[in-house]
Amino acid sequence: MTDQVQLMSDEAKRVYVRAHGMLPHEVAYMLGEQKPMAGSVLTSTSIFRNSPLFCHALLNMSLRRAGDDVAITYDIPDMVRGIADVQDWAANTRHLQAEREKNPEFAAWLDARKTLTFERDHIASCAPGTLGHAVHLFIEASGLEMFFMRTDPPANDLEYVHKMMVNAHDISHIVSGFGVNMAGEHGINSMTVASIHKYFSPEFALAIGKAADMTCSTFFVNKLYNYPQGVPIVIEAMTLGFAAGQAVKMPLFMVDYD
């Protein structure tokens, strides 16, 4: 085939490239001389690539278009299942223990086991300018229920971290200023990724950050391929989010909002 293509006219080569993407000699250059190992079952050295559930969620969130026929959060259950399929809980627990031993501030936060709760009557009575008043306005304006997941008491430190990351998501919108819209979600997710990778070891940041990692990356890819008009806004939101995440002293889910 390579010899045949070399004999083609320039116009024929252009047609070939439109159909196949690259000329054979270009493909050979990119593939290199090494050959991947063959096997009876398609596998990878990546646990993420080997998980059909994770791959489905990543691909769908990256490439599907949005529509009024489903909720904007329609993909979240698939994402959670995909992440659960690639979690190594024993390794994650070891990473947490290592983080606890080297980070006294994080250890003290874990030991305190504070929860993020509030009484509706109390926040309704908070004065303007307070966080309580801002939370009240957020709930009234959005109609959202702030604590509808991870409501059970955590059984261990790792469950506590995940609980607080979920429970603090909406209040993170309030204190950061990133709105409850697609650009605001880009900002919050970027801020979360930047803050946990600044504050924790890379291993522990990956252990607890897979949801933020997936939403941050797939939301951006989704706009690049489906909604190019929105890409400048997304880039601005992500830029602000990354800067905010690198500037805060600790991830927002660790803040004592009481």
Side-chain angles (χ1 to χ4, degrees), residues 37-46 49-52:
M37 295 181 64
S40 302
V41 179
L42 295 178
T43 60
S44 167
T45 56
S46 167
R49 181 64 184 88
N50 291 337
S51 168

Side-chain angles (χ1 to χ4, degrees), residues 36 49 61 70-71 87 89 93 129 133 147 164 183 186-187 240 251 254:
R49 181 64 184 88
M61 291 174 67
V70 296
Q87 291 285 32
W89 293 104
T93 300
H133 183 71
F147 309 123
M164 295 305 292
H186 278 297
L240 292 170
M254 290 179 59

Side-chain angles (χ1 to χ4, degrees), residues 200-220:
F200 298 117
S201 69
E203 295 79 12
F204 188 58
L206 175 60
I208 65 172
K210 293 184 181 70
D213 294 340
M214 184 178 286
T215 50
C216 182
S217 55
T218 59
F219 284 3
F220 186 42

